[in-house]
Structures are given as structure tokens and as C-alpha cells.
Amino acid sequence: KQRLIGALRAPDVALAAGFRNPSSGILTSAGVTMQSVRGLLGLASQLERLADSGLRGDVYECGTWRGGTSIFMYHILRQYDAVRGRGDDARRGFFAFDSFQGFKRSGTDKRLDDFLDDDRFAAPLPSVQRAFELFGVPLDHVRFMRGFFESTLPQFGAPPNPIAVLRMDGDLYSSTRVTLRCLYPHVAPGGWVIVDDYLWTAQGRRHARKTKLCKQAVDEFRAEHAIDEPILYKYAVPSWRRALTSGAAKHFVADQCAR
């Protein structure tokens, strides 16, 4: 794990994949993941628990950026499923949602828009796919969904299989809200919901105080649907595990994603 983490965070890997500022040709940020070592080790522990439980299902990452965290999840699950003799890596689907061009401007918060209007947040899809190939992830194991979540997720429809891991890394209120609305109803009992940006604020509070971000979207959704599974912090990134049993409060309307 440590060797894989080191490689994913290394600048030379990002350069090899072709992540450069299109105008200056300079690498805009090191590595192919923004996750800390502690965050990736915590994620590995969650995936190990998932493999131990025998839960079937696919892996969704909404906010893939350069692909490093998805690559990490693929290899950890492949290794642990193989150790347990399941070979589930060939049967788990991996779905990578991203605009692959950075953030779109909200038009309502200039400070936040200016902060997010930065080349380092853009990750062109060909370079992302190249990163997957560099780390030995077959592209036919991954379905890349390009576009802003508000468009791609409603068009995506019902997932083909239950979701074992839903990892959200979209930063903003609207992208988090639509991800939960469209995909949370399909998270399998016992599946993980990981919210990378639950505690995120733009550096130096470069956004208006009235602007809602990821945390507000999560808190509102959980309250509206009486989701009472506790948010855990012991894996470094806030997350919760969907309850193994569901009652009336856990039911969702079929057309929720379209609303």
C-alpha cells in the first residue's frame, strides 16, 4: 500500500500521464491524487472491511480528477478480493464521474468562482485514462462519465448493479446534492458513502458566508430522508456505512433523481 500511495502522489507519474498547464506546459499540481497518506490508508481500511463482508457491488467516484483515488480503490479491492478467493475485481464495475475540465462558475459567488477557476482543477480525460493505464488498470473495467454532474447523473439512469462504494469529491453544494439524489438510493445495505469534502471550505474562506457547500447538501439530504447512520471520522475522511436493515424512512421515490 505504501509503495502504491507513494507512486500515486509522485510528480513524475503526473508528468508521464500528461498533466500540464495547456498554456505554459508546467505541471499544475503534483501527483494524480490530492488525498493525504492518512486519507488513503483510511480508505484502504474501509475497502478491507468491505471485502471481508463479502458485499457485492460496484464502485462509484464522483469527482475523479486525475484518477489516483479510483486507481487506488481498484488495486486495493482487487488484492483483497483475490486473497479471499473471490476474484471480484472482474465483476465489480468502476464508474468515474467528472467534468474533466474543472469547475463551472456558479455566477452567484465571485470569490468562490475565482478560487475554483484554476488550471490545477482541470484533468483532461485522455490524461486520466493514461494514468489508469500507467497503473495497470484495464480501461474496460472503468466507465468514464464526462460532464457536470447536474447533467450526467440524471441522464445516467439507474445503476446496473448495487453500489458498494459511493465516494463523493465534488466540493460544491449542487454537485453533492445531485449525487446523493441520484445514487444514494442505489447504495447497497452495508455499502460505504464517503464524503471527501464534508468539512471543506475554500482556502482562506474565499467564498461568501451564505454560499452552501458540500456539508450543507449532505446534512440536508440526511435530514430529509431520516438517515441516522453516524458520520464516522476514524478513517480520516468523513463517511458512513448504510444500515443493513431499512425501514420506511429509508425508502426513496423512483423518480428522485429527476427532481
Side-chain angles (χ1 to χ4, degrees):
K1 282 184 285 190
Q2 292 284 3
R3 191 161 52 245
L4 176 59
I5 289 171
L8 290 168
R9 290 165 51 83
D12 58 331
V13 171
L15 285 168
F19 292 108
R20 297 174 181 271
N21 183 311
S23 58
S24 68
I26 299 172
L27 182 67
T28 55
S29 183
V32 292
T33 179
M34 292 187 188
Q35 292 300 298
S36 66
V37 173
R38 181 169 174 261
L40 290 171
L41 290 175
L43 177 58
S45 295
Q46 291 175 289
L47 298 177
E48 290 161 16
R49 287 190 62 185
L50 183 74
D52 284 338
S53 73
L55 181 68
R56 308 281 181 171
D58 294 340
V59 177
Y60 283 65
E61 184 174 45
C62 294
T64 300
W65 194 51
R66 294 178 178 176
T69 309
S70 280
I71 291 167
F72 183 76
M73 290 192 289
Y74 171 85
H75 281 293
I76 294 298
L77 279 172
R78 184 186 68 168
Q79 291 167 7
Y80 275 87
D81 283 332
V83 165
R84 286 152 183 78
R86 298 190 186 104
D88 271 358
D89 63 299
R91 291 192 289 275
R92 289 193 197 275
F94 287 78
F95 293 78
F97 287 79
D98 204 285
S99 71
F100 299 106
Q101 64 185 63
F103 294 93
K104 64 178 178 181
R105 299 181 71 87
S106 68
T108 60
D109 188 334
K110 185 177 185 304
R111 282 188 293 171
L112 181 60
D113 286 343
D114 289 347
F115 172 74
L116 295 174
D117 187 16
D118 190 306
D119 285 333
R120 73 179 186 273
F121 296 125
L125 181 55
S127 294
V128 175
Q129 292 173 323
R130 175 62 178 150
F132 275 76
E133 291 177 325
L134 286 171
F135 282 93
V137 180
L139 294 185
D140 60 2
H141 276 50
V142 186
R143 185 170 171 185
F144 295 94
M145 303 299 298
R146 177 165 50 185
F148 294 108
F149 299 167
E150 293 84 352
S151 298
T152 55
L153 282 165
Q155 294 172 5
F156 181 71
N161 299 303
I163 297 173
V165 178
L166 172 58
R167 185 179 182 280
M168 298 185 294
D169 196 352
D171 296 276
L172 305 179
Y173 176 88
S174 60
S175 53
T176 303
R177 180 82 185 183
V178 73
T179 300
L180 287 167
R181 206 170 64 231
C182 292
L183 296 181
Y184 187 79
H186 305 282
V187 175
W192 283 105
V193 180
I194 302 169
V195 193
D196 184 80
D197 301 306
Y198 186 69
L199 301 177
W200 179 82
T201 58
Q203 294 175 10
R205 191 171 282 282
R206 296 177 188 173
H207 59 86
R209 289 185 178 275
K210 66 180 180 180
T211 298
K212 293 181 177 181
L213 296 174
C214 170
K215 185 179 189 299
Q216 287 83 358
V218 172
D219 291 347
E220 289 176 8
F221 187 86
R222 283 170 56 91
E224 289 166 8
H225 297 284
I227 297 169
D228 53 13
E229 294 92 331
I231 294 178
L232 306 174
Y233 295 86
K234 65 180 181 179
Y235 298 105
V237 175
S239 59
W240 74 90
R241 199 170 188 186
R242 192 165 186 190
L244 293 173
T245 58
S246 61
K250 302 292 196 298
H251 293 170
F252 296 83
V253 296
D255 64 346
Q256 182 157 350
C257 189
R259 295 195 295 118

